[in-house]
Amino acid sequence: MAKDFSTRAENYSDWYNELVNRADLAETSAVRGCMVIKPYGYAIWEKMQAVLDRKFKETGHQNAYFPLFIPKSFFSREADHVEGFAKECAVVTHYRLKANEDGKGVSVDPAARLEEELIVRPTSETIIWNTYKNWIQSYRDLPILVNQWANVVRWEMRTRLFLRTAEFLWQEGHTAHATEEEAQAEARKMLDVYADFAENYMAMPVIKGVKTENERFAGALQTYCIEAMMQDGKALQAGTSHFLGQNFAKAFDVTFLNKENKLEYVWASSWGVSTRLMGALIMTHSDDHGLVLPPKLAPLQVAIVPIYKNKEQLERISEAARSIKAGLEAKGISVKYDDNDNQKPGWKFTEYEFKGVPVRIAIGPRDMENGSAEICRRDTLEKSICPQGELVPAVESLLEDIQRNLFERALKHRQENTVKVDSWEDFKVQIEQGKFLLAHWDGTTETELKIKEETKATIRAIPFDVQEEEGKCVYSGKPSHRRVIFAKSY
Amino acid sequence: MAKDFSTRAENYSDWYNELVNRADLAETSAVRGCMVIKPYGYAIWEKMQAVLDRKFKETGHQNAYFPLFIPKSFFSREADHVEGFAKECAVVTHYRLKANEDGKGVSVDPAARLEEELIVRPTSETIIWNTYKNWIQSYRDLPILVNQWANVVRWEMRTRLFLRTAEFLWQEGHTAHATEEEAQAEARKMLDVYADFAENYMAMPVIKGVKTENERFAGALQTYCIEAMMQDGKALQAGTSHFLGQNFAKAFDVTFLNKENKLEYVWASSWGVSTRLMGALIMTHSDDHGLVLPPKLAPLQVAIVPIYKNKEQLERISEAARSIKAGLEAKGISVKYDDNDNQKPGWKFTEYEFKGVPVRIAIGPRDMENGSAEICRRDTLEKSICPQGELVPAVESLLEDIQRNLFERALKHRQENTVKVDSWEDFKVQIEQGKFLLAHWDGTTETELKIKEETKATIRAIPFDVQEEEGKCVYSGKPSHRRVIFAKSY
């Protein structure tokens, strides 16, 4: 394990922060709450973007770009939305700086005050629905299936790299439909896209479900979510999709002539995932040796390290390594052969481990004699010896195995830490042990808030896959028809 | 030609604005100076991004992401930079809104005033060099070759879609080097990358050169540029790269231990292209029938339109069309078969023409009898008949031919409109006729500014490829050693 690096057991929060920094993923910046995403972290985000973008396009969506700024008055248009978003946000009030008269520094020019303040978008429903108004006249203009990759800003007092930052990167889909059914189906479809991405690329099992009214997106009639369990047992909301009904169409007066030639308000959905997924990825798989990445999202999948005492040995190893590298690359696997002479093999091993490179291959003089190489898999740190001639298929199948193992390990962890609770006493004990609790709830916001107040646990989701089941609310004792998931969360 | 659509001859400016709107590329938004990039326009930008991003990575660069906001004081650090950029910019002064007491609308919360105002980045040298300070200790940490895809804001009073907008999208490369030579070489290398992209993908010939001191980027020691001629004879600066010397390193105190173990300031370059390239692309190739796109950047390369009177005819044509489509797609060509029954073929022809789809294939009953199809190329609007069995290779080679023809046409246009002028009288006449003028200049900012004042012409570049040649300044009569390019510009 890297020196001076906190373990998860010692301090999970320190472990996370140190890992993000030392694996060169991100760092804090000179601007309060804003992060710098470093090249290695950004390379992982780019891999995520590429997969998601492909999935969005395969499901018929197109990308577009809408303004960074939103006129202040737009926030007041949709009553619930204003409650949720017109609060902690960055407000642009002026459009000019001028040099100070003493020649030192610059000041805001008081003469350059905007007539109406502009808000740096915390989310884009308002500006987009104001735009859709001009795009939609008839049912023939529908559906509109648009996505935007963008930065957004929500002023946060307590920030944490990737998990909660004032500025973050995300995608936001905003769709317009002729019928309620279509808009609902879209919201559900995109939740499935997110769940598929989380499970099959991030190797992160998720629970699909619907949010309670209290946890809903401001302005939505229904919010669907995928929730994942981190290694400390806390929940992380990894993606949401919203059925917005006709709320934004009404707020921005977006109507269309339907097939019967009658004027109707347009139906809407929106959906998004953000750089928060980076935090989820890190906290799902990484260990006390550093980052662990699923092969499908690893910028570098294989590192080959030569072990040698002299130039002649290095030359022989390099020849073999380059041939292995070429063989792996021909299979679409990304490989680095690290023959940098400034660092010792041990240092390199630690470094690639810390960066979460899924497979490390080491080749030394003894290996050359035997025509073999040492393979180390990052997920379990197990080592094995493999004939050089069989390395390509071995690594190919190992990458698949790591991808599968990471998912299964995380699923097992969640299953082992998810418990049914039927008494308030048990609830309080289990929640402190970092569990997901399947508990009956009476369906009221009042109870939900009291439970949150007493335990910090929130209802993460009403899962789609729970059975109807008669029971009593774990807090109020009132009747309940199904269990919901309670957890502490990020 | 589309009805109600201005021609270039009638009004070039109206033609441009109408084209951008009607081809669904972009539109103005509710926020002054900010544009909405519509899906079709964004799809072209995505194609540009993909090519450029690949080229950046092939030349060893990595992407990263830095904060949207820059503390006001950062602008005062580099003396020239503050002059150039700390002027017309969006200033964030507050971080909270609150509901009005009358329950209507929201106001800026005066209690939530930032201690130091934040500037929405107009460019990121300052925040990035403040970050690099912590990344660089020794020569071993160099070079840093980082690029960022981002939105930036420069408050503009007179805006024009793609060409000049308050918010625009761009990439900005920011590199750090151990030596002056390396930083200079990087700036020149990236200019070559831009020129290659402009000429071989955008089919837009460019002049490579260096800017005069007066036209230099604020904070640079040298600004290199690629300049293109639009169809109205005006110049458009399509990309710039800057050798920044040690200016930003000194401003942000970024030093490194060199190989001799001595502390030295780091050398820098920066380089960028933006959504302005969309404007350049449009104005280089498009005509009075709408957009014309080079095949390499066209989101849709081939549209197939069936012409039929009854269902039976349509079925036969569809069968042939789908087979043609599959054949083309197997060659990596993007194809749409448009059998939408709501629109007539004539409407579709006009539409695909207007959207700049490089090749249109029409198949009617007569074609089916003859086993042929009609091909129409967008660049010249020439039609030809081709046996269906030969369509795939024919279209493949036609796309290449269109790409080449667009470049050659634009190059011919520039050559025909570039003139050597040796008298001030001739200068004033020729500049009004929309020419690029190759003229002698005495090298002083004073003369440059007087010429600009009298004619609106600026020095676009001191081209790399002009010969040394003794002459007299076209304005002052003072001695000059080489000609420079004067033009009016966007």
Side-chain angles (χ1 to χ4, degrees), chain A residues 27 29-31 34-40 42-43 46 53 57 62-76 82-83 85-99 104-108 113-114 117-121 127 130-131 134-135 140 146 149 151 153 155 157 167 169 342-343, chain B residues 27 29-31 34-40 42-43 46 53 57 62-76 82-83 85-99 104-108 113-114 117-121 127 130-131 134-135 140 146 149 151 153 155 157 167 169 342-343:
Chain A
E27 63 184 39
S29 77
V31 184
C34 292
M35 65 180 157
V36 172
I37 306 179
K38 298 180 79 174
Y40 192 59
Y42 200 84
E46 278 183 312
D53 197 69
K57 284 173 178 157
Q62 297 178 293
N63 289 328
Y65 188 77
F66 297 87
L68 171 66
F69 299 127
I70 300 178
K72 189 186 67 178
S73 59
F74 279 25
F75 283 94
S76 316
V82 66
E83 285 291 311
F85 285 102
K87 283 178 179 166
E88 311 297 325
C89 46
V91 185
V92 177
T93 56
H94 292 74
Y95 60 85
R96 197 187 302 135
L97 294 175
K98 58 173 192 175
K104 289 175 190 162
V106 287
S107 304
V108 179
R113 196 180 163 84
L114 290 168
E117 294 89 349
L118 296 172
I119 312 305
V120 180
R121 61 182 165 218
I127 188 85
N130 184 66
T131 306
N134 302 316
W135 293 8
R140 287 189 204 87
V146 163
W149 290 96
N151 52 345
V153 172
W155 213 262
M157 285 301 152
E167 181 191 18
L169 304 184
N342 290 328
Q343 303 290 359
Chain B
E27 63 184 39
S29 78
V31 182
C34 292
M35 65 180 157
V36 172
I37 305 179
K38 299 179 78 173
Y40 191 59
Y42 200 85
E46 279 183 310
D53 197 68
K57 284 172 179 159
Q62 295 179 295
N63 288 329
Y65 188 76
F66 297 87
L68 171 66
F69 300 127
I70 301 178
K72 189 185 65 177
S73 59
F74 279 25
F75 282 95
S76 317
V82 66
E83 284 291 310
F85 285 103
K87 284 176 179 167
E88 311 297 324
C89 47
V91 185
V92 177
T93 55
H94 292 75
Y95 59 84
R96 195 186 304 134
L97 295 174
K98 57 173 191 176
K104 289 176 188 164
V106 287
S107 306
V108 179
R113 196 180 163 85
L114 290 168
E117 294 90 350
L118 296 173
I119 313 304
V120 180
R121 63 181 163 218
I127 187 86
N130 185 67
T131 307
N134 301 318
W135 293 8
R140 285 190 204 88
V146 162
W149 290 96
N151 53 346
V153 172
W155 213 263
M157 284 303 152
E167 182 192 19
L169 305 184
N342 290 329
Q343 303 290 357

Side-chain angles (χ1 to χ4, degrees), chain A residues 170-232:
Chain A
W170 80 344
Q171 60 68 219
E172 45 181 327
H174 294 275
T175 68
H177 305 266
T179 67
E180 176 171 7
E181 293 68 33
E182 272 183 49
Q184 274 279 16
E186 167 80 9
R188 289 292 295 262
K189 182 204 279 179
M190 298 320 289
L191 193 77
D192 287 344
V193 165
Y194 289 155
D196 175 62
F197 173 73
E199 302 204 326
N200 295 316
Y201 290 84
M202 295 176 67
M204 178 176 79
V206 291
I207 293 165
K208 291 194 280 187
V210 59
K211 287 285 185 192
T212 63
E213 189 183 343
N214 177 57
E215 296 278 340
R216 229 175 250 164
F217 175 80
L221 296 189
Q222 207 69 273
T223 288
Y224 304 108
C225 62
I226 52 171
E227 296 278 330
M229 178 186 278
M230 303 296 99
Q231 289 179 65
D232 61 351

Side-chain angles (χ1 to χ4, degrees), chain A residues 60-62 64 66 128-129 131-147 173-178 182-183 186 254 266-269 271, chain B residues 38-39:
Chain A
H61 302 84
Q62 297 178 293
F66 297 87
I128 287 179
W129 278 88
T131 306
Y132 282 176
K133 183 176 168 54
N134 302 316
W135 293 8
I136 302 168
Q137 275 83 43
S138 119
Y139 70 92
R140 287 189 204 87
D141 302 319
L142 297 171
I144 294 178
L145 303 174
V146 163
N147 174 62
H174 294 275
T175 68
H177 305 266
E182 272 183 49
E186 167 80 9
V254 188
V266 178
W267 297 86
S269 93
W271 30 275
Chain B
K38 299 179 78 173

Side-chain angles (χ1 to χ4, degrees), chain A residues 423-489:
Chain A
S423 79
W424 182 235
E425 283 315 305
D426 196 25
F427 188 108
K428 286 188 288 186
V429 170
Q430 300 280 3
I431 200 74
E432 284 311 308
Q433 289 172 6
K435 309 281 187 193
F436 273 21
L437 309 187
L438 275 164
H440 279 283
W441 163 63
D442 65 20
T444 69
T445 300
E446 193 192 348
T447 296
E448 189 180 358
L449 293 176
K450 278 185 183 160
I451 292 174
K452 185 176 177 184
E453 202 184 311
E454 291 189 33
T455 64
K456 291 187 182 156
T458 51
I459 301 177
R460 303 315 305 158
I462 305 167
F464 291 152
D465 66 356
V466 289
Q467 302 280 318
E468 295 242 342
E469 169 193 302
E470 294 311 307
K472 286 180 183 172
C473 174
V474 74
Y475 187 83
S476 68
K478 289 181 191 161
S480 154
H481 308 295
R482 64 170 62 74
R483 291 173 188 268
V484 300
I485 300 266
F486 284 91
K488 293 190 188 181
S489 75

Side-chain angles (χ1 to χ4, degrees), chain B residues 269-287:
Chain B
S269 93
S270 69
W271 30 275
V273 295
S274 74
T275 36
R276 218 170 184 231
L277 289 179
M278 292 288 296
L281 187 73
I282 295 161
M283 289 204 293
T284 298
H285 303 301
S286 300
D287 63 23

Side-chain angles (χ1 to χ4, degrees), chain A residues 1-3 22 289-290 344-356 360 378:
Chain A
M1 146 184 14
K3 278 177 201 158
R22 295 185 49 167
H289 300 265
K344 297 237 185 293
W347 186 92
K348 292 178 187 174
F349 286 8
T350 309
E351 179 70 7
Y352 290 118
E353 251 169 49
F354 209 91
K355 290 278 180 78
R360 181 187 78 221
R378 178 62 186 88

